[in-house]
Amino acid sequence: MPDTPAGPVIVADEPGTFPYGVLAERHPAILRQVAADIPYGPEQRRALDALLVNCTEGAVTPLPAGAHDRDRWAAWGMDDHAGRSWHDVPWLWSESWFYRQLLQAVGYFEPGPWQGVDPFRPAKLAELDAPATDEELAALDALDDLPEDERARALLHGSLWGNRADLGFRMSAEGAEETAAVPALVADDGERLWSLLDGSPDGTLCLVADNAGRELVPDLLLIAHLLAHGRVARAVLHVKPHPYYVSDATTADVLDAVRRLTAAKGAAGAYGHALRAALTDGRLELRAHPFSCAPLPYADMPDDLRADFADATLTVLKGDLNYRRLVGDRYWPATTPFADVTAYFPGAVAALRILKSDVITGLAPETEAALDAEESGRWRTSGTHALIQVRT
């Protein structure tokens, strides 16, 4: 990494901060929701109750000796953090540890009736099958008459904004975004992104997915468009190998999303059938690397994943968590150059992210000043702003 001073690693030890609230309030709420959504038996419910106490009042306790991934977690810092409060270890680590412990509590990895049952599946399906999804898919028909480049840009913004994808399809008030005092898009390297997806016959897009449901659908639509119009020859979609961070996408979630599309009418259905064809002929490939669920930044990625990204024309990382892992989960000064903190990445890389945590890099000084003047520090975590950043 260039000579950019590293910001302090984010921990969740200070009441009133956003990370502290996640550990103290959001995680207990997630445990209660999982228990309400799935009729787990007494053993799993006792384990969920014990996890609630442990994650709010207790200390990090290593995985049991027979856990299939105990050695992996030991290499990822489990033994180093054992005995410490969840609030005193890096926030990225403690968040990831929470989801691993949740899966342990419900028996996801253990032989038995609950093995492989996604504790977040009811919530994922409810969102994917909601009427609002029908409205967003119907909006695709309005894009058919647009020139290909405008359609591609609309789909890119749909992918960026996730389940607010309707914003990406609203082709109105051209230039209004640039003239707003506090723009919704706080950094926009979109043109640089398109320059990399130039239709090379061996062009490969790696897209590291974020959430399932109505946020994964726009990612798949973008991939389908890029393949159909020759902007890339193939795409590799990285998903999680198991449930993670409530709504992160797994292979099962990709299949659910493709099912939702193929069952739709109009343009959405056509996209769905195109995606099925791309999956079967290999133009769209799924990957689920164990490091996708690691509590570590991508700077620590293993060699095989590094080689996968190095082979891509462009790697796009979606979402807030992937951004934190890409640049490092630190309190960077907002004007820290994005290119500096991603210099380690083995190829061209882009971030598509709605701001939902304190981490931010690459802002122009005047943009940071305008955001702070109008919204104080709330803009970092409110989910009302987004960015497209590219390092070539």
Side-chain angles (χ1 to χ4, degrees), residues 114-140:
W114 296 108
Q115 186 175 34
V117 175
D118 185 345
F120 310 123
R121 185 168 173 78
K124 291 176 177 177
L125 290 180
E127 181 185 276
L128 185 62
D129 294 331
T133 306
D134 290 319
E135 297 173 10
E136 290 173 358
L137 295 181
L140 289 168

Side-chain angles (χ1 to χ4, degrees), residues 358-370:
D358 291 301
V359 180
I360 186 70
T361 67
L363 293 194
E366 59 271 22
T367 300
E368 181 188 17

Side-chain angles (χ1 to χ4, degrees), residues 127-389:
E127 181 185 276
L128 185 62
D129 294 331
T133 306
D134 290 319
E135 297 173 10
E136 290 173 358
L137 295 181
L140 289 168
D141 293 338
L143 298 183
D144 279 350
D145 295 332
L146 294 176
E148 187 277 331
D149 60 338
E150 290 185 29
R151 200 181 326 157
R153 282 162 174 74
L155 291 170
L156 175 68
H157 281 259
S159 177
L160 169 64
W161 286 103
N163 63 11
R164 294 169 58 187
D166 57 301
L167 295 176
F169 302 142
R170 193 179 302 147
M171 309 296 291
S172 63
E174 182 126 7
E177 173 64 21
E178 290 76 9
T179 60
V182 182
L185 204 58
V186 299
D188 185 2
D189 292 338
E191 292 308 311
R192 189 180 303 174
L193 182 150
W194 291 119
S195 72
L196 295 168
L197 304 178
D198 60 359
S200 170
D202 57 352
T204 298
L205 170 71
C206 267
L207 194 150
V208 182
D210 184 31
N211 291 332
R214 286 168 59 205
E215 296 191 38
L216 179 60
V217 166
D219 297 342
L220 292 171
L221 295 174
L222 177 62
I223 288 173
H225 181 90
L226 296 176
L227 289 171
H229 291 272
R231 287 182 177 261
V232 295
R234 61 188 293 268
V236 179
L237 180 63
H238 284 257
V239 295
K240 301 298 188 295
H242 55 71
Y244 192 58
Y245 277 68
V246 181
S247 57
D248 279 26
T250 65
T251 298
D253 298 318
V254 173
L255 298 180
D256 285 337
V258 172
R259 168 192 59 80
R260 185 71 164 88
L261 285 167
T262 54
K265 299 177 181 178
Y271 277 112
H273 289 289
L275 287 162
R276 280 189 62 94
L279 284 165
T280 56
D281 65 25
R283 286 176 296 126
L284 172 56
E285 183 177 348
L286 302 182
R287 301 274 173 85
H289 196 285
F291 192 77
S292 295
C293 294
L296 302 173
Y298 279 107
D300 296 334
M301 75 179 86
D303 290 342
D304 60 336
L305 185 59
R306 177 176 292 273
D308 203 21
F309 292 149
D311 287 341
T313 305
L314 174 67
T315 297
V316 174
L317 286 90
K318 278 292 310 293
D320 194 76
L321 174 60
N322 280 324
Y323 189 85
R324 291 164 56 195
R325 296 185 69 196
L326 175 64
V327 305
D329 202 36
R330 295 174 176 271
Y331 288 114
W332 297 105
T335 55
T336 302
F338 177 74
D340 286 1
V341 296
T342 58
Y344 71 88
F345 202 86
V349 62
L352 302 185
R353 176 221 183 185
I354 297 177
L355 277 58
K356 297 179 181 178
S357 67
D358 291 301
V359 180
I360 186 70
T361 67
L363 293 194
E366 59 271 22
T367 300
E368 181 188 17
L371 289 164
D372 284 338
E374 183 157 323
E375 303 181 40
S376 186
R378 294 187 301 275
W379 58 271
R380 293 173 178 261
T381 59
S382 64
T384 56
H385 297 280
L387 56 79
I388 303 171
Q389 291 176 323

